[in-house]
Amino acid sequence: TDQIYIWGKNVLEPLPNDRRKGRKASDSKIPYHLPRDKLPSAKCLKIACGSHHTAMLFEDGSVYATGVSGDTKRLFLDPIELIPAGLVELPVRHFSAHMDRTTVVGRDGQQILQVQIWEDPELRACSIFTPAWADKLFEEQPNAKVEQVDRCWLHSLIVTSAPEEERNNGAETTTNEKSKEKSFSAD
């Protein structure tokens, strides 16, 4: 079975010195073994590290994470399920963790799911969403396929491609138009 380890900034329960300083988490310089019984029995396919969490994609399509919640800043050291098995269209095109959320692009390039860690159970139950930029993108480019999504503190970048038949139309197009790869800003 897969064994998953994590270390770095804010990945442990606060140690005594950090607790005295009011910190909610401590740094780890050596790997901490994530409890396998808190994860699905499926194989871990991908791991992505954001600034506040680490996300894991499993072969059943489920997504788990450890890290700091967006609502209370509580540390979740044991992995929690963010997306249940069966929701993501497999195989995924893209999987990434950003500062506060995880993005999964499903098989067809038009399923875009984002999710955040929340401590509040009601927020967590409704935390999977399709970002608003996806509606605008597919309205403007109905046949576009999202290949990649990257987010940073102040900006986002979405890379799309068009279906093969669109790339082959128009003998007078430029090289850039032929590739039909476009960047779409979500901001």
Side-chain angles (χ1 to χ4, degrees):
T1 61
D2 297 332
Q3 300 299 317
I4 301 172
Y5 296 84
I6 187 171
W7 66 95
K9 193 127 184 90
N10 296 322
V11 296
L12 295 175
E13 294 291 339
L15 297 170
N17 191 37
D18 288 329
R19 223 180 345 269
R20 281 191 295 280
K21 294 177 182 177
R23 293 184 181 157
K24 297 193 178 209
S26 291
D27 299 344
S28 173
K29 293 183 169 112
I30 59 171
Y32 168 75
H33 180 248
L34 294 179
R36 193 63 175 115
D37 64 332
K38 305 276 184 177
L39 295 165
S41 60
K43 181 179 179 170
C44 182
L45 297 179
K46 297 182 182 227
I47 295 176
C49 296
S51 63
H52 293 81
H53 72 293
T54 298
M56 297 153 273
L57 172 70
F58 291 86
E59 66 184 350
D60 63 2
S62 62
V63 175
Y64 282 71
T66 64
V68 179
S69 67
D71 55 341
T72 64
K73 306 302 181 212
R74 175 181 166 217
L75 173 68
F76 283 91
L77 183 56
D78 287 341
I80 57 171
E81 183 181 65
L82 298 182
I83 299 177
L87 189 60
V88 174
E89 297 169 355
L90 298 173
V92 300
R93 281 183 182 241
H94 181 75
F95 177 74
S96 59
H98 318 288
M99 57 184 187
D100 64 345
R101 67 192 67 188
T102 298
T103 300
V104 182
V105 178
R107 173 186 61 238
D108 70 356
Q110 292 198 335
Q111 181 193 44
I112 295 99
L113 301 175
Q114 291 189 332
V115 63
Q116 293 175 275
I117 297 176
W118 299 107
E119 182 173 5
D120 182 286
E122 289 183 37
L123 286 174
R124 195 179 311 158
C126 302
S127 66
I128 304 167
F129 64 98
T130 297
W133 59 259
D135 293 333
K136 180 174 174 37
L137 170 68
F138 295 128
E139 181 180 306
E140 293 176 2
Q141 302 174 41
N143 297 320
K145 306 291 184 196
V146 173
E147 299 294 335
Q148 185 172 337
V149 178
D150 282 304
R151 293 177 48 91
C152 194
W153 288 103
L154 298 174
H155 62 276
S156 299
L157 178 68
I158 295 96
V159 178
T160 66
S161 63
E164 188 66 33
E165 61 271 10
E166 286 185 23
R167 284 194 289 251
N168 293 332
N169 288 341
E172 297 176 15
T173 58
T174 66
T175 304
N176 285 340
E177 289 171 333
K178 280 183 186 176
S179 72
K180 289 288 186 181
E181 289 196 358
K182 299 180 181 180
S183 292
F184 179 85
S185 176
D187 295 331

